[in-house]
Amino acid sequence: MSERESPRDVVRAACAAYGEDAVTDWCVAFLGGEISGEAAYGAELPKLVAITGSDNPGGWKSPVDPVNYYWIRVWAARVFLYVWRDDVVDVLRRAADDPAWRVREHVAKITAQRELGQLVDALLPDLGHELPRVRAAVVRAVGAAGEFEHAEAIRRLADDPDQTVRAAVERALTKLEERLDRPVH
């Protein structure tokens, strides 16, 4: 990806070249672990290049240290912010428990953007994550896609030490009330 190409532009170019279904299938395979990190930087590198716009998206020395393989799942998840197919929900549900917080954060972002209520419960454990950005992403997902019974879980973060999380809680509770057309306090 050049400095001028946004992730959205890279994904659009990949879809134009290979088709949305092919790109979606690759990302499901990356995110679900069907394509390993080793394969992603080996035989499957053209797929990784297509979704990131770079033959070395992490800028790492070769060979890539396996500790960085989780980035492949992050980049694959990011694609679902721009391309969608309903069967992706299953791999996102599994990814909500990914060992890498950046992957889980992206699942929360996708859940919020696409209003995927069926993923909210899987995200709730990260309301206690040590990083404010992860907590805030989950709070936003709950506001966008949660139900009445989820309000209490995010309300507990109203006094979070991080201002970003506190602001996300306030907006999420308001959004829940508007979406559900009922008070959640």
Side-chain angles (χ1 to χ4, degrees), residues 70-89:
Y70 77 92
W71 276 100
I72 295 161
R73 299 188 310 277
V74 174
W75 296 319
R78 181 179 63 191
V79 168
F80 300 131
L81 292 169
Y82 310 109
V83 175
W84 186 250
R85 199 172 65 202
D86 288 341
D87 65 333
V88 168
V89 170

Side-chain angles (χ1 to χ4, degrees), residues 51-101:
I51 68 165
T52 64
S54 171
D55 60 358
N56 187 0
W60 297 299
K61 294 179 182 174
S62 188
V64 174
D65 186 333
V67 75
N68 292 315
Y69 285 167
Y70 77 92
W71 276 100
I72 295 161
R73 299 188 310 277
V74 174
W75 296 319
R78 181 179 63 191
V79 168
F80 300 131
L81 292 169
Y82 310 109
V83 175
W84 186 250
R85 199 172 65 202
D86 288 341
D87 65 333
V88 168
V89 170
D90 292 334
V91 75
L92 290 173
R93 186 176 289 108
R94 291 189 305 276
D97 193 35
D98 194 279
W101 65 265

Side-chain angles (χ1 to χ4, degrees), residues 8-165:
R8 178 188 309 271
D9 291 338
V10 170
V11 171
R12 284 183 178 159
C15 290
Y18 303 101
E20 279 190 23
D21 280 335
V23 170
T24 300
D25 290 343
W26 298 343
C27 291
V28 165
F30 284 136
L31 188 56
E34 183 182 320
I35 298 176
S36 70
E38 188 175 355
Y41 281 100
E44 304 290 352
L45 185 61
K47 295 174 183 173
L48 185 60
V49 170
I51 68 165
T52 64
S54 171
D55 60 358
N56 187 0
W60 297 299
K61 294 179 182 174
S62 188
V64 174
D65 186 333
V67 75
N68 292 315
Y69 285 167
Y70 77 92
W71 276 100
I72 295 161
R73 299 188 310 277
V74 174
W75 296 319
R78 181 179 63 191
V79 168
F80 300 131
L81 292 169
Y82 310 109
V83 175
W84 186 250
R85 199 172 65 202
D86 288 341
D87 65 333
V88 168
V89 170
D90 292 334
V91 75
L92 290 173
R93 186 176 289 108
R94 291 189 305 276
D97 193 35
D98 194 279
W101 65 265
R102 288 182 190 272
V103 174
R104 298 190 315 270
E105 178 188 29
H106 271 76
V107 173
K109 288 178 179 182
I110 296 161
T111 299
Q113 180 194 47
R114 304 218 177 256
E115 299 179 358
L116 302 171
Q118 63 270 49
L119 296 181
V120 170
D121 287 334
L123 297 171
L124 293 180
D126 272 332
L127 287 173
H129 197 276
E130 65 187 78
L131 293 176
R133 66 187 275 178
V134 176
R135 294 192 307 273
V138 174
V139 166
R140 286 190 285 275
V142 172
E147 296 297 332
F148 179 83
E149 60 269 17
H150 298 120
E152 183 57 33
I154 62 173
R155 192 177 299 107
R156 290 184 199 129
L157 296 176
D159 294 326
D160 193 273
D162 187 270
Q163 170 55 33
T164 306
V165 176

